[in-house]
Amino acid sequence: MDKPVIMTVDDDPGVSRSVARDLRRRYGHSYRIVRADTAVAGMESVRQLRLRGDDVAAILADYRMPQMNGVEFLEQAMDLYPYARRVLLTAYADTDAAIQAINVVDLDHYMLKPWDPPEEKFYPVLDALLDAWHRADRRESDELRVVGARWSARSYKIRDFLSRNQVPYRWMLADDPEGAQLLAAAGEGCEISPAKLPLVITSDGTKLTAPTTAELAAAVGLSTAPATDFYDLIVIGGGPGGLGAAVYGASEGLRTVMVEQHASGGQAGQSSRIENYLGFPDGVSGAQLADRARRQALKFGAELLTARKVTSLEVKGQARVVGFADGTGIAAHTVILATGVSYRRLTAPGLDDFVGRGTYYGAAVTEAPECRDREVYIVGAANSAGQGAVYLSGYASRVHLIVRSDGLERSMSHYLIEQISNISNIEVHTGTEVVGAEGDDHLERLTLKGPDGERTVDSEWLFVFIGAEPFTDWLGDTIERDAKGFVLTGPDLTSAENRPRNWPLRREPYHLETNVPGVFAAGDVRADSIKRVASAVGEGAMAVALVHRYLEKA
């Protein structure tokens, strides 16, 4: 098989030769290094590589080139090699442009020139990008295929589950020629009814009609069954807090299992780009961050169970028993609750009828390409809404950000407010809310109420990022919670109002421990926690430290 290509484009011949030299020194044995001295020559090389069927692993382009700048070059190259890792080479004076490019071409990294020594400033970055490229499934003909209806909530649910779990797939409409052919072949002479859509066909030809997430998870190789029935630590929830707990628990020798109902990453995993997380100066998508954490947990030996719904938590002597919806269960010495939160539902009349059919809670990145050249509406004023607006502005003709308050300053980070103000196709509507929705088989119109009264607008796309509701009803009376359902821990439990009758007071309360000894809470599900990705990860790590203290004294 031919070597994959690493391509570099720089209009300064001296720099171009230096970049190619550094690349050949490190990667020449495994990759073919192709360089071009102009953007035009570079695009011609990209087209020729595509025609010959060569695989391109990474493209490095200089920002300042006279015929087209590096951002424009990478944007065009994406059409031919969407899986290639994209790196912008910049001078210090161009870093602002490079940061903006992150949102334009989904840039993987930007690098400042010069980068001597390359062993410290160049190779580690490219090593990580090439590793990610190798792990990505780039097959087109034999990968998993999904055939469904455009405005189908069930089809959206399947696609969202696959995307968030990093499972590559091809999406086809049932009424398109290729989709219709697959339906006919799968039906073996009898037509598959719309009620049985979506149809999922795995790479080995297995057919699933309207599968549940558990059936789909098993079919694509996600782990759904525990390896044993007793552990040192059960982590419930796969968001940043749960992933942090799984990584630290497993790395410190605890028999650890993490249970997630949907997909690793939680609410943060739906973020199109997180730019204020420590250690990622170029930003990172929630899905990328979750994928790295998931692989890290697996490396240390943690079990990660997907598509398992937890329905109960019981105390049986020294064991904490977690029950699943199918009637089975597992037990452990300790449990960390990291179930996070979900976006609160809008109560406007008509909206519930269109969930998954024009109304989406969270970024719904699977829908972004469908919004190309359309007007979309986003409800919310916090970071998640701002990140969604910036991301969707790369596809939509106009993004309308609907904000109930009089501004963004109280709830959104300053860097995001600045980004939004510099993107011409984002319009912020303050003092405005959605009060109604209409349509036939999908969302078609929204009614907005603002300073000038009510008005109706045409829109097939509404993305909602408001508030947070904890997933804790299943805890029943076992775990103390506040009036909003958030789990109470540590000092909050020492007040007479919240303290259970038999709560054993401690001189030094474990700040993350619940009213049940050996059961801890971490991240957004905990009352009064700081709702930030980094805070959730930190609490997950701290909870593991408290698990060790509990086990030593148990």
Side-chain angles (χ1 to χ4, degrees):
M1 192 175 214
D2 289 340
K3 293 179 181 179
V5 171
I6 298 176
M7 183 170 190
T8 173
V9 185
D10 195 307
D11 68 321
D12 184 324
V15 173
S16 180
R17 286 191 296 271
S18 296
V19 174
R21 180 198 62 220
D22 286 346
L23 289 171
R24 289 193 182 97
R25 183 185 303 162
R26 176 81 164 208
Y27 306 106
H29 62 287
S30 300
Y31 297 86
R32 184 156 59 95
I33 311 303
V34 174
R35 74 179 182 91
D37 291 336
T38 68
V40 172
M43 278 311 305
E44 182 59 29
S45 294
V46 170
R47 295 188 189 97
Q48 291 299 321
L49 290 168
R50 185 62 177 169
L51 287 173
R52 289 198 300 263
D54 292 324
D55 222 347
V56 175
I59 304 175
L60 294 74
D62 182 51
Y63 176 66
R64 291 196 179 189
M65 294 188 290
Q67 295 149 321
M68 68 175 78
N69 65 38
V71 176
E72 295 166 337
F73 178 86
L74 291 172
E75 194 171 15
Q76 290 189 28
M78 280 175 62
D79 293 335
L80 297 174
Y81 284 101
Y83 295 104
R85 301 295 148 167
R86 296 170 288 278
V87 180
L88 193 67
L89 308 179
T90 70
Y92 182 79
D94 298 323
T95 52
D96 287 343
I99 292 171
Q100 292 297 322
I102 290 171
N103 302 305
V104 175
V105 295
D106 195 20
L107 196 67
D108 292 297
H109 206 86
Y110 73 87
M111 303 186 69
L112 296 178
K113 301 183 296 183
W115 46 63
D116 287 334
E119 289 76 13
E120 294 180 12
K121 299 181 179 180
F122 184 50
Y123 296 147
V125 170
L126 208 52
D127 285 347
L129 295 179
L130 293 172
D131 177 64
W133 179 82
H134 276 290
R135 285 186 292 99
D137 191 335
R138 301 177 300 281
R139 295 173 298 171
E140 297 182 358
S141 59
D142 58 349
E143 65 185 10
L144 184 139
R145 290 161 289 177
V146 180
V147 185
R150 177 68 198 88
W151 299 110
S152 163
R154 265 192 310 195
S155 294
Y156 165 71
K157 184 177 180 180
I158 292 295
R159 294 162 59 211
D160 185 60
F161 178 83
L162 292 171
S163 295
R164 293 180 61 189
N165 281 287
Q166 304 288 305
V167 179
Y169 69 93
R170 289 181 61 203
W171 162 244
M172 287 170 272
L173 293 174
D175 52 4
D176 282 348
E178 189 175 2
Q181 289 172 6
L182 276 176
L183 290 180
E188 297 177 353
C190 58
E191 183 179 351
I192 294 180
S193 67
K196 292 186 177 181
L197 292 177
L199 170 70
V200 178
I201 304 174
T202 66
S203 58
D204 63 3
T206 301
K207 295 174 292 187
L208 304 171
T209 55
T212 65
T213 51
E215 292 170 338
L216 186 59
V220 299
L222 297 175
S223 179
T224 59
T228 185
D229 57 4
F230 199 90
Y231 296 84
D232 293 320
L233 170 63
I234 299 172
V235 180
I236 304 176
L243 286 165
V247 168
Y248 281 93
S251 68
E252 294 174 13
L254 298 176
R255 289 173 299 165
T256 302
V257 60
M258 188 187 82
V259 184
E260 168 57 44
Q261 183 177 352
H262 301 295
S264 299
Q267 192 181 61
Q270 296 176 278
S271 296
S272 53
R273 186 165 291 276
I274 302 168
E275 296 189 57
N276 59 351
Y277 189 73
L278 183 67
F280 291 89
D282 308 325
V284 61
S285 73
Q288 290 172 326
L289 188 63
D291 179 55
R292 294 182 182 193
R294 179 171 53 239
R295 289 188 288 110
Q296 197 171 11
L298 290 170
K299 181 185 76 171
F300 289 123
E303 286 183 49
L304 307 184
L305 305 184
T306 306
R308 295 305 297 263
K309 183 177 181 179
V310 176
T311 56
S312 64
L313 174 62
E314 298 179 82
V315 177
K316 293 185 178 180
Q318 294 298 310
R320 279 61 182 132
V321 181
V322 171
F324 298 134
D326 62 0
T328 63
I330 52 177
H333 294 300
T334 58
V335 172
I336 294 177
L337 303 173
T339 51
V341 295
S342 58
Y343 290 112
R344 198 169 67 240
R345 292 295 183 99
L346 273 179
T347 58
L351 272 181
D352 279 348
D353 298 333
F354 303 118
V355 175
R357 298 187 297 130
T359 299
Y360 306 95
Y361 287 86
V365 294
T366 58
E367 299 301 304
E370 304 293 337
C371 299
R372 193 175 299 278
D373 300 326
R374 307 288 185 89
E375 294 199 18
V376 303
Y377 286 76
I378 295 176
V379 178
N383 280 6
S384 54
Q387 291 159 355
V390 171
Y391 178 71
L392 289 168
S393 69
Y395 296 89
S397 60
R398 180 157 292 275
V399 175
H400 300 272
L401 186 58
I402 308 301
V403 179
R404 188 170 59 178
S405 63
D406 58 0
L408 299 171
E409 289 73 18
R410 288 198 299 269
S411 53
M412 189 177 293
S413 294
H414 179 68
Y415 81 91
L416 268 176
I417 296 175
E418 284 196 329
Q419 280 190 23
I420 288 171
S421 67
N422 291 325
I423 299 176
S424 61
N425 64 333
I426 297 181
E427 185 175 350
V428 180
H429 305 268
T430 57
T432 304
E433 55 187 317
V434 176
V435 296
E438 299 176 334
D440 292 327
D441 66 333
H442 66 281
L443 178 67
E444 296 179 81
R445 291 173 296 281
L446 291 171
T447 301
L448 307 179
K449 183 178 180 181
D452 299 325
E454 291 190 3
R455 60 191 177 97
T456 299
V457 296
D458 293 330
S459 179
E460 296 180 318
W461 309 95
L462 176 68
F463 299 88
V464 182
F465 303 82
I466 59 168
E469 293 180 336
F471 174 55
T472 56
D473 289 346
W474 60 276
L475 290 168
D477 296 329
T478 305
I479 301 296
E480 282 289 303
R481 291 165 285 152
D482 66 12
K484 295 182 179 179
F486 291 92
V487 175
L488 295 169
T489 60
D492 290 336
L493 289 164
T494 63
S495 67
E497 179 183 355
N498 295 323
R499 187 172 64 247
R501 184 176 301 172
N502 298 321
W503 171 244
L505 291 176
R506 296 181 175 89
R507 291 183 179 178
E508 184 185 351
Y510 291 175
H511 294 312
L512 301 181
E513 192 170 26
T514 68
N515 60 294
V516 176
V519 178
F520 305 85
D524 291 357
V525 74
R526 192 177 67 82
D528 296 326
S529 65
I530 299 173
K531 304 300 189 272
R532 286 288 188 271
V533 174
S535 301
V537 173
E539 288 195 2
M542 178 59 71
V544 171
L546 299 181
V547 163
H548 282 294
R549 292 174 61 179
Y550 171 82
L551 292 174
E552 289 170 0
K553 296 180 180 180

